């Protein structure tokens, strides 16, 4: 903690952006003795944070630093120092100290026990409550005479330090509209190519429309190219939509496919990954024996969700009105094959505005990882998604926001 020697004026710090990284940076800078002002373009802090994890907020991942960095898809080495400044354990301890009880689920994902993102947002608002908040969009930052002028809402404000924590280009209605990149570029920084990551995928298949809203749990997916080479595989949950597919395993897959022509790929879903083909065939024979006089379309209710039965039969190529007792061995093999590889052609990414994370951002070579300070403009710091680092789903991206925000806030206040 900084000394409270009143012979020195506190460092005046502007935090541009009131999201996860911005609130963490602001609260930490206040804790280390700075006088902090947050500029937030929307009408409240933590707007994007409130909708993360389908409103549950996957706040971090209960993993070691080594495990964590294995899940970072861009510039993992850059994050050693930020994660040392605020580890996943320390983040969990912080939220517990702010009154949020946490739980760890599959994949070491950490959520509030209440399953309410609002609790995380409220905790971060409490943590950053020592900062003044100006609900105006920062439209310009000028470095002058060892300090900064921030222009917002037509007015100019002066500061000693500035932390840029504006988020990416996804979810513009929550304030992440890409403006931070423009502000940084005007100050001489480089921005790498901005492409969507952790984003749903479009499919031209009518099957997706027919199954719109259907969630599948405990399925195995494979993304294959035209030569049937597997580019990505995962196990977990996914969902069909009117445009294609989404859900945790799809979002994670998208992070691997940024540089691939999506239109040449196929999603293959193993609907029964716990059963090998021989065991599954015995299960089919058993079900068919019990329902031998029924039509096929009325005999699959124990194997498939009702909304999936008609699309499944269409994909298998077997006549759904055929009696189960007259299904041939070849037709049963087609049904079995479709259960183990329900294939959906892919088309493209959804628009970047729908991405959970923007891949790309401020070039990390221009930022000191030990302080988050710009190597180009002294006194300028960066935190969160605006930096060119991103990771898979599972709480990793929020932890990156918290760790870089913490280090930026501490460094700016102590400088």
């Amino acid at each position: 903690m900084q000394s409270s020697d009143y012979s020195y004026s506190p460092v005046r710090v502007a935090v541009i952006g009131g999201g996860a990284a911005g609130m963490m940076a602001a609260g930490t800078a206040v804790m280390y003795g700075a006088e902090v002002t947050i500029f937030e373009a929307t009408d409240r802090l933590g707007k994007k944070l409130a909708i993360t994890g389908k409103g549950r907020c996957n706040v971090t991942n209960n993993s070691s630093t080594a495990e964590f960095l294995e899940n970072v898809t861009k510039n993992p080495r850059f994050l050693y120092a930020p994660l040392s400044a605020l580890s996943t354990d320390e983040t969990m301890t912080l939220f517990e100290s702010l009154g949020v009880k946490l739980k760890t689920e599959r994949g070491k994902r950490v959520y509030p026990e209440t399953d309410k993102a609002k609790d995380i947002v409220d905790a971060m608002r409490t943590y950053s409550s020592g900062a003044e908040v100006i609900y105006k969009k920062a439209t310009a930052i000028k470095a002058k005479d060892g300090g900064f002028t921030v222009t917002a809402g037509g007015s100019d404000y002066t500061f000693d330090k500035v932390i840029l924590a504006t988020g990416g280009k996804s979810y513009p209605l929550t304030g992440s509209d890409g403006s931070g990149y423009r502000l940084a570029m005007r100050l001489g920084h480089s921005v790498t190519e901005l492409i969507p990551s952790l984003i749903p995928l479009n499919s031209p298949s009518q099957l997706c429309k027919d199954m719109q809203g259907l969630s599948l749990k405990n399925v195995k997916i494979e993304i294959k190219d035209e030569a049937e080479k597997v580019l990505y595989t995962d196990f977990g949950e996914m969902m069909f939509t009117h445009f294609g597919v989404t859900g945790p395993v799809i979002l994670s897959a998208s992070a691997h496919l940024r540089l691939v022509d999506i239109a040449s790929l196929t999603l293959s879903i193993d609907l029964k990954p716990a059963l090998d083909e021989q065991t599954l065939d015995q299960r089919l024979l058993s079900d068919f024996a019990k329902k031998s006089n029924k039509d096929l379309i009325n005999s699959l209710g124990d194997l498939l969700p009702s909304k999936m039965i008609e699309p499944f039969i269409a994909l298998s190529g077997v006549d759904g009105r055929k009696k189960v007792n007259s299904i041939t061995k070849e037709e049963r093999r087609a049904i079995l094959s479709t259960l183990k590889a329900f294939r959906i052609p892919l088309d493209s990414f959804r628009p970047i505005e729908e991405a959970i994370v923007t891949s790309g951002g401020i070039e990390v070579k221009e930022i000191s990882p030990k302080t988050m300070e710009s190597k180009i403009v002294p006194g300028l710091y960066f935190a969160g998604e605006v930096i060119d680092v991103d990771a898979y789903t599972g709480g990793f991206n929020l932890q990156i926001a918290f760790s870089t925000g913490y280090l930026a806030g501490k460094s700016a206040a102590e400088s």
Side-chain angles (χ1 to χ4, degrees):
M1 186 73 73
Q2 182 169 305
S3 168
S4 56
D5 185 343
Y6 291 103
S7 63
Y8 293 95
S9 298
V11 178
R12 294 167 301 160
V13 178
V15 177
I16 315 299
M23 286 189 285
M24 180 63 81
T28 305
V30 169
M31 182 173 71
Y32 280 90
E35 184 180 284
V36 182
T37 302
I38 301 172
F39 290 89
E40 170 53 39
T42 71
D43 60 350
R44 59 188 182 275
L45 300 177
K47 207 166 185 179
K48 183 178 177 183
L49 188 58
I51 62 172
T52 60
K54 297 180 182 177
R56 294 178 64 214
C57 192
N58 182 186
V59 67
T60 186
N61 192 280
N62 193 2
S63 56
S64 67
T65 297
E67 287 175 304
F68 190 100
L69 293 173
E70 287 174 3
N71 286 276
V72 178
T73 55
K74 290 287 291 292
N75 299 313
R77 289 179 64 189
F78 179 82
L79 292 171
Y80 273 109
L83 286 167
S84 296
L86 185 74
S87 67
T88 56
D89 282 346
E90 289 165 330
T91 300
M92 293 167 67
T93 299
L94 173 62
F95 280 106
E96 295 271 2
S97 75
L98 291 166
V100 182
K101 291 185 177 180
L102 302 172
K103 60 181 177 180
T104 301
E105 297 187 358
R106 186 183 64 80
K108 300 186 179 181
R109 290 169 162 86
V110 179
Y111 294 90
E113 277 190 2
T114 59
D115 286 329
K116 292 180 180 176
K118 180 181 181 297
D119 292 346
I120 299 297
V121 176
D122 288 347
M124 287 309 301
R125 288 174 180 165
T126 298
Y127 183 73
S128 59
S129 60
E132 180 188 2
V133 184
I134 295 176
Y135 289 101
K136 294 177 182 176
K137 182 174 183 174
T139 52
I141 302 170
K142 292 180 181 174
K144 187 178 180 182
D145 301 328
F148 295 87
T149 300
V150 174
T151 303
S155 299
D156 289 341
Y157 305 81
T158 58
F159 297 94
D160 301 309
K161 312 290 175 185
V162 171
I163 300 172
L164 200 59
T166 49
K169 199 177 178 183
S170 55
Y171 288 112
L173 294 178
T174 66
S176 298
D177 60 0
S179 61
Y181 304 125
R182 295 187 289 275
L183 292 171
M185 288 171 73
R186 288 185 202 135
L187 289 164
H189 273 275
S190 309
V191 176
T192 62
E193 184 185 5
L194 304 175
I195 52 179
S197 185
L198 303 186
I199 189 166
L201 303 176
N202 289 318
S203 169
S205 175
Q206 178 64 36
L207 295 177
C208 293
K209 292 185 177 68
D210 294 341
M211 293 182 288
Q212 178 180 343
L214 174 64
S215 287
L216 299 178
K217 294 183 178 181
N218 303 319
V219 295
K220 178 185 174 183
I221 68 157
E222 292 181 335
I223 307 286
K224 297 181 177 182
D225 64 14
E226 290 172 308
E228 290 292 294
K229 179 184 176 184
V230 177
L231 304 182
Y232 180 77
T233 185
D234 202 356
F235 177 89
E237 184 178 350
M238 61 163 289
M239 186 173 77
F240 295 101
T241 72
H242 66 284
F243 58 75
V245 287
T246 188
V249 294
I250 301 300
L251 298 176
S252 291
S254 72
H256 284 264
L257 306 175
R258 288 174 300 202
L259 306 177
V260 184
D261 176 15
I262 303 292
S264 66
L265 306 182
T266 299
L267 166 67
S268 178
I269 309 164
D270 184 344
L271 299 169
K272 300 294 174 184
L275 303 177
D276 60 30
E277 289 201 15
Q278 186 176 357
T279 307
L280 187 56
D281 193 29
Q282 291 301 314
R283 167 77 187 273
L284 267 180
L285 286 169
S286 174
D287 283 5
F288 286 177
K290 294 174 191 172
K291 303 170 183 179
S292 60
N293 292 317
K294 286 190 173 183
D295 291 350
L296 175 63
I297 199 167
N298 297 320
S299 68
L300 296 174
D302 293 339
L303 274 172
L304 297 169
S306 58
K307 200 168 189 176
M308 194 176 203
I309 291 174
E310 283 194 40
F312 176 90
I313 289 173
L315 194 60
S316 75
V318 181
D319 182 0
R321 292 299 165 192
K322 192 168 186 178
K323 296 294 182 188
V324 168
N325 57 18
S326 61
I327 285 178
T328 65
K329 190 174 182 179
E330 288 73 22
E331 288 171 330
R332 196 176 79 247
R333 189 175 292 118
I335 294 167
L336 182 66
S337 174
T338 309
L339 283 168
K340 297 298 284 182
F342 189 90
R343 294 171 68 90
I344 298 288
L346 299 176
D347 187 298
S348 56
F349 291 122
R350 294 295 290 165
I352 192 169
E353 290 77 14
E354 295 180 29
I356 291 177
V357 169
T358 305
S359 180
I362 311 300
E363 171 61 68
V364 296
K365 292 175 184 174
E366 299 170 358
I367 304 170
S368 167
K370 293 181 179 179
T371 60
M372 294 292 111
E373 186 175 14
S374 165
K375 294 179 180 178
I376 295 171
V377 184
L380 174 66
Y381 299 79
F382 297 98
E385 197 181 341
V386 74
I387 304 169
D388 184 20
V389 286
D390 57 270
Y392 300 137
T393 57
F396 301 103
N397 289 290
L398 261 183
Q399 181 63 49
I400 290 170
F402 293 139
S403 291
T404 56
Y406 181 91
L407 184 53
K410 181 176 185 286
S411 301
E414 289 185 328
S415 61

